[in-house]
Amino acid sequence: MANSDAIVGWKTITFGCHILEPGNAANFRTGDWRSQRPVVDKEKCIKCGMCWVFCPDMAYSQDEDGYFVVDLEYCKGCGICAHECPKDAITMVPEEG
Amino acid sequence: MSKRVGIEVSIAIAEAVGLARAEVIPAYPITPQTHIVEHLSEMVANGEVDAEFVPVESEHAAMSCCCGSIAAGARTFTSSSSQGLSLMSEILYIPSTMRLPIVMVVANRAMSAPISIWNDHQDIMVQRDIGWIQTFAENGQEAVDLTLHAFRVAEDRNVSLPMIVNIDGFTLSHVIEPIELPDQEEVDKFLPPFKPRYKLDPRRPISMGPVGIPEVYTEAKVAHDKAMKKAKRYILKAWDEFEEIFGRKYNPVESYRTEDAEVLLVTMGSISETAMTAVDAMRDAGQKVGLLRIRLWRPFPGQEFRKAVGKAKVLAVIDRCLPPGALCGPVGAELRSLFYKIPGAPKIFSFVAGLGGRDVTVERFEEIVDKARAFAKKRPRELYEVIGVREK
């Protein structure tokens, strides 16, 4: 979230700290502080989309082959997808560094 | 034409809120309360005021509801007191930095324990730093006038800050006084419809109340502080406009017989009327004593106060609040800070009086002046003195 766009002075901060641009959360890399990432095993995946349904950040989307892939710009690594996957196809792997 | 009537101050404030055409009134009339919202609920039920009266489940919810309605662009009013005001506390900091101009009348009362429903200023001093503009009324007429003034100032697009009008619980809220209630035409002239700079509107979506990460929180608070300081000129301007329409003049600091005064009493709220009687008595006895009454408490009118002090040598500051373990009461501390290391500054002595509804009589004011004179000659051992406290 600590995107350089958010760094403003008291004279330039928006009135009342309002966000005047609707849906501007998309402009911020909210996945920056993730400590673990979901890795999908396509061998086990049945394309049911439970990860897509449960992801609180709507970070999953479907690719051309029908698999669900995560956008790591927004994935916070909460692990809900791995917990909900009925085929245990998702493993949470620690981020390095 | 406006008419002068004998009316309970709380009822008169409710009438003023009706004349101000408040649109949403969320309230939770817990004891101790006043007739302000009680009467407003009757006015709404009778169709005399075109407003939503929202009977919520607590004072916390009342202030939360105020935040919602003002964010949606509705002129919003509520009223509270002592423990109920404290229950609002968590929410009170929110509309101020978010620049949402709610207007609230607080009937000032003591904080428990011991349980008290009587008047002092401890409830509002708990909320001193919430970032709302705050004024203190001396009498019923002023309570009505400052309520109208509050809507004008808070909603001014150059200000856009919430505002509290403090009135003394019981001493003002529950007494009947002769009050001139303005007519609708005059109020409409003084108070244009509320046009917020931003509001929650599905046609122009914005988000209010986002997270303030460490990189921006300080800037958000400084922007609020600067807005408070800038607000003073619009507070004064609104008082000038008020005078043009209603003929009554208000200042940030009221001076009474301060010319050539050696000792100045400093007060806030309704005890100032007794203080004026005391000043008259002491002047008759040949003493050079005057009175300064702080009407605008936040933003603090430092410049105006220093000017009002003039050449007086001694200030006897009366706080109706005793913060245990502090160096002195909040008004005393404010003024000591204002005059710190200023050449020729008066000596400032802090007194605590009138806690939990105890009367501060003319004799007590005379005692305070006598003590301040004595302290000016021989420095007191303590930084403040509690007036009229029994030891045994």
Side-chain angles (χ1 to χ4, degrees):
Chain A
M1 217 190 291
N3 186 303
S4 61
D5 291 350
I7 307 306
V8 291
W10 71 264
K11 287 183 178 175
T12 49
I13 199 166
T14 54
F15 182 84
C17 280
H18 304 335
I19 295 173
L20 303 176
E21 179 195 351
N24 80 335
N27 300 340
F28 297 91
R29 288 178 58 99
T30 48
D32 272 4
W33 44 275
R34 182 182 58 244
S35 63
Q36 51 177 1
R37 68 168 69 195
V39 175
V40 181
D41 182 349
K42 288 189 178 174
E43 296 287 312
K44 290 183 184 171
C45 176
I46 56 168
K47 305 176 184 175
C48 67
M50 292 305 275
C51 52
W52 176 82
V53 168
F54 277 94
C55 176
D57 277 303
M58 291 179 280
Y60 275 95
S61 57
Q62 210 167 9
D63 69 9
E64 288 170 359
D65 300 325
Y67 289 106
F68 288 87
V69 290
V70 67
D71 184 342
L72 292 173
E73 295 242 329
Y74 304 117
C75 170
K76 293 193 179 79
C78 69
I80 288 174
C81 53
H83 185 265
E84 295 295 336
C85 177
K87 292 292 173 186
D88 290 331
I90 303 175
T91 314
M92 298 307 290
V93 178
E95 292 283 0
E96 286 172 18
Chain B
M1 272 296 287
S2 56
K3 55 187 186 295
R4 196 172 159 90
V5 289
I7 187 170
E8 189 189 293
V9 174
S10 284
I11 308 283
I13 290 168
E15 291 288 339
V17 173
L19 287 166
R21 300 186 190 276
E23 294 170 295
V24 179
I25 303 151
Y28 183 75
I30 194 174
T31 301
Q33 256 292 345
T34 66
H35 295 129
I36 299 172
V37 289
E38 187 180 317
H39 188 63
L40 275 166
S41 72
E42 287 168 4
M43 290 164 74
V44 173
N46 293 341
E48 294 158 26
V49 182
D50 185 17
E52 287 290 327
F53 188 91
V54 191
V56 289
E57 73 275 21
S58 74
E59 306 268 1
H60 187 278
M63 189 42 62
S64 302
C65 187
C66 284
C67 289
S69 64
I70 196 90
R75 181 167 287 163
T76 303
F77 176 85
T78 192
S79 176
S80 192
S81 217
S82 64
Q83 311 300 125
L85 181 68
S86 278
L87 186 52
M88 284 182 179
S89 185
E90 184 196 350
I91 312 299
L92 290 172
Y93 285 80
I94 294 170
S96 51
T97 303
M98 283 173 64
R99 313 288 299 273
L100 300 172
I102 300 160
V103 171
M104 172 157 68
V105 170
V106 176
N108 300 132
R109 287 193 168 106
M111 294 300 297
S112 301
I115 294 171
S116 172
I117 54 170
W118 290 276
N119 167 225
D120 67 26
H121 292 167
Q122 297 194 90
D123 60 353
I124 195 61
M125 289 308 166
V126 174
Q127 312 299 344
R128 186 190 61 177
D129 300 332
I130 54 176
W132 292 44
I133 299 171
Q134 291 192 34
T135 52
F136 276 81
E138 181 185 77
N139 55 40
Q141 185 68 59
E142 191 176 332
V144 165
D145 292 352
L146 291 186
T147 301
L148 293 171
H149 174 254
F151 284 106
R152 179 78 182 81
V153 171
E155 294 173 4
D156 185 323
R157 294 177 97 176
N158 296 301
V159 177
S160 221
L161 286 164
M163 190 153 168
I164 286 173
V165 177
N166 289 290
I167 66 160
D168 282 334
F170 282 119
T171 318
L172 287 186
S173 65
H174 286 64
V175 299
I176 294 172
E177 289 192 15
I179 293 174
E180 198 175 302
L181 281 172
D183 63 26
Q184 189 66 61
E185 202 177 302
E186 287 173 322
V187 175
D188 288 345
K189 201 169 143 200
F190 177 66
L191 191 60
F194 176 35
K195 286 187 185 149
R197 276 170 73 158
Y198 296 102
K199 63 177 177 179
L200 294 179
D201 181 350
R203 288 166 301 181
R204 286 187 60 201
I206 62 165
S207 301
M208 290 188 180
V211 168
I213 54 174
E215 287 85 343
V216 298
Y217 186 89
T218 305
E219 284 69 23
K221 287 297 176 188
V222 169
H224 179 181
D225 180 45
K226 299 284 183 186
M228 273 294 267
K229 284 173 179 139
K230 189 182 146 202
K232 194 176 81 180
R233 89 173 72 129
Y234 300 99
I235 294 166
L236 303 184
K237 190 168 152 258
W239 272 331
D240 287 344
E241 288 166 9
F242 189 93
E243 187 192 3
E244 277 172 30
I245 295 173
F246 303 100
R248 286 181 292 277
K249 183 171 175 56
Y250 292 107
N251 304 308
V253 180
E254 201 69 52
S255 303
Y256 183 73
R257 302 188 78 171
T258 55
E259 207 178 321
D260 78 0
E262 291 161 359
V263 182
L264 291 176
L265 289 160
V266 181
T267 55
M268 293 205 299
S270 65
I271 62 165
S272 316
E273 300 221 322
T274 318
M276 285 194 282
T277 308
V279 165
D280 288 344
M282 287 183 275
R283 283 275 181 184
D284 288 348
Q287 291 198 57
K288 289 180 176 174
V289 178
L291 169 73
L292 292 181
R293 172 162 68 92
I294 300 166
R295 182 178 283 120
L296 179 62
W297 172 233
R298 284 292 181 273
F300 191 83
Q303 204 185 338
E304 288 81 356
F305 192 89
R306 273 206 292 265
K307 201 175 159 204
V309 167
K311 289 183 178 145
K313 295 280 184 294
V314 176
L315 297 187
V317 185
I318 297 152
D319 263 289
R320 301 195 65 185
C321 174
L322 177 55
L327 295 178
C328 69
V331 185
E334 196 83 13
L335 297 179
R336 281 181 169 145
S337 175
L338 178 67
F339 284 102
Y340 182 67
K341 292 209 167 170
I342 298 275
K347 288 184 175 174
I348 299 173
F349 301 107
S350 171
F351 297 89
V352 171
L355 297 185
R358 186 169 298 179
D359 280 341
V360 187
T361 60
V362 168
E363 293 72 28
R364 289 296 183 204
F365 282 110
E366 289 172 347
E367 180 189 339
I368 288 166
V369 169
D370 288 347
K371 284 196 163 139
R373 283 188 197 279
F375 291 161
K377 287 183 190 128
K378 187 170 180 282
R379 214 171 119 184
R381 280 171 60 196
E382 304 290 342
L383 282 169
Y384 63 92
E385 176 156 331
V386 183
I387 291 296
V389 64
R390 291 183 303 275
E391 295 208 350
K392 286 177 184 168

